[in-house]
Amino acid sequence: MKLLQPLAYAAFYLVSLLPYRALYVLADVLHVIVYDVARYRLKVVRRNLATSFPEKDAKELKRIERGFYRWLCDYFVETVKLMTVSRRELMRHVEFRGVEDVEDCFDRGQTCAGILGHYGNWELLSAFGLAFKRHKEAVVGLIYHPLRNHVFDRLFIKLRQSMGGVCIPKQDILRYLVEFRRQGVMNIFGYIADQSPKFQNTHLWLPFLNHDTPVFTGAERIMRKMNNAVFYVDVERPARGRYIYTFKLITADPAALPEHEITRRYFAMLEQTIRRNPACYLWSHNRWKRTREEYERRQAELKVKS
């Protein structure tokens, strides 16, 4: 195990030295291995696509399926590239829109939150701070769930912080935000909020991609507590190796909205993003493994026991 970390790091480092054109050739090879040979999570992907888009025929679903695996392999090599890519070169591949709206909030002394999904390459958002003009000292934070494999956990932290972002484990985020506020440090933290919560953490169900979906509300609670200006991060991939991240204001006054309204708006906007180009969403995640029927059965059992 002790040898695994330096070996993994060395392998990733060597791959990251390849130019983008060579990386995408590698991604094409990986696509054959992952999709045609290993058939990585193919049953989950097909079930998710079929139930999310019942209006689409088999031919269209197959096209999205193939596109998803191509994007997934591109995501992998693009993320590894973060190890050695220069900031100037990376900024030729990404475009950030709505930056001035975020900096306007900083001008007013208000911190921000960006809420997004597992769409496009979310790792590249760590470079968002490079787009600031008036607040280059502001902290761009990435909230993450530590990986069980310590080798890859450390590796991904290094990748995510290579462009100046700050990685904070999700269990520590509130403590850091309070300390930043005490110090007067302007910041924007990104919340990837489309994971599937455990039943004990489920407080809200929403319609999402043709499913009755349990959703996390913890991100919204933190945003309200910190009085963040909340932005939805819309992602477009107009071409291979090119991403556009648009920060769209949901609210500058979270307390003025009803409870869960931020979460509702976020999922509605995320669905619009996905439907525009479905292939770039993380369909391999077993997003709808928990049903409301099972949730209600468990709740009833808890009431009986109490």
Side-chain angles (χ1 to χ4, degrees), residues 28-42 46 65-66 69 73:
D28 289 338
V29 175
L30 288 175
H31 174 260
V32 174
I33 296 171
V34 172
Y35 180 48
D36 296 308
V37 179
R39 300 172 75 81
Y40 170 71
R41 309 203 78 177
L42 187 56
R46 286 180 173 172
E65 177 187 300
R66 285 189 173 276
Y69 282 98
C73 294

Side-chain angles (χ1 to χ4, degrees), residues 24-234:
Y24 288 125
V25 172
L26 175 60
D28 289 338
V29 175
L30 288 175
H31 174 260
V32 174
I33 296 171
V34 172
Y35 180 48
D36 296 308
V37 179
R39 300 172 75 81
Y40 170 71
R41 309 203 78 177
L42 187 56
K43 289 183 179 179
V44 173
V45 172
R46 286 180 173 172
R47 181 173 67 248
N48 283 342
L49 288 174
T51 53
S52 296
F53 305 110
E55 75 282 2
K56 297 185 183 297
D57 60 23
K59 184 177 180 181
E60 177 65 8
L61 290 175
K62 187 73 171 180
R63 185 190 68 80
I64 297 171
E65 177 187 300
R66 285 189 173 276
F68 160 71
Y69 282 98
R70 289 191 181 280
W71 161 77
L72 186 65
C73 294
D74 284 359
Y75 160 84
F76 173 74
V77 299
E78 289 165 353
T79 302
V80 171
K81 184 65 176 174
L82 285 172
M83 290 190 77
T84 56
V85 68
S86 70
R87 296 183 175 188
R88 177 177 294 182
E89 183 178 8
L90 180 63
M91 291 300 285
R92 290 200 290 265
H93 292 266
V94 299
E95 178 184 350
F96 296 107
R97 298 176 180 174
V99 180
E100 62 282 357
D101 296 328
V102 173
E103 291 198 281
D104 284 347
C105 295
F106 293 161
D107 287 343
R108 298 193 298 270
Q110 185 178 25
T111 56
C112 301
I115 188 166
L116 61 148
H118 286 92
Y119 187 92
N121 194 326
W122 52 90
E123 308 292 357
L124 305 187
L125 272 168
S126 60
F128 182 48
L130 302 180
F132 292 160
K133 294 181 174 59
R134 305 192 304 276
H135 292 271
K136 295 184 181 295
E137 76 292 344
V139 172
V140 173
L142 302 97
I143 302 168
Y144 78 101
H145 181 75
L147 301 175
R148 292 180 182 177
N149 185 304
H150 295 299
V151 173
F152 284 99
D153 185 57
R154 291 169 187 163
L155 182 59
F156 268 84
I157 289 175
K158 184 175 181 62
L159 291 173
R160 289 164 176 165
Q161 295 189 153
S162 62
M163 292 296 133
V166 177
C167 283
I168 305 296
K170 66 176 186 178
Q171 66 270 19
D172 298 330
I173 182 58
L174 193 56
R175 177 168 60 87
Y176 273 84
L177 291 176
V178 170
E179 181 61 20
F180 282 142
R181 181 165 64 182
R182 187 187 69 81
Q183 296 177 5
V185 176
M186 290 297 101
N187 61 83
I188 178 168
F189 273 79
Y191 299 77
I192 300 181
D194 59 340
Q195 302 97 326
S196 180
K198 296 179 179 179
F199 281 122
Q200 62 266 32
N201 297 324
T202 299
H203 306 291
L204 180 66
W205 294 76
L206 292 176
F208 177 58
L209 290 170
N210 200 47
H211 295 83
D212 193 16
T213 305
V215 301
F216 275 114
T217 56
E220 176 174 339
R221 290 196 297 272
I222 293 173
M223 294 167 191
R224 289 177 178 274
K225 187 176 183 66
M226 302 308 300
N227 190 35
N228 292 141
V230 182
F231 290 83
Y232 171 66
V233 186
D234 186 34

Side-chain angles (χ1 to χ4, degrees), residues 10-33:
F12 277 53
Y13 181 83
L14 291 173
V15 170
S16 74
L17 292 173
L18 295 172
Y20 274 99
R21 186 170 298 179
L23 283 173
Y24 288 125
V25 172
L26 175 60
D28 289 338
V29 175
L30 288 175
H31 174 260
V32 174
I33 296 171

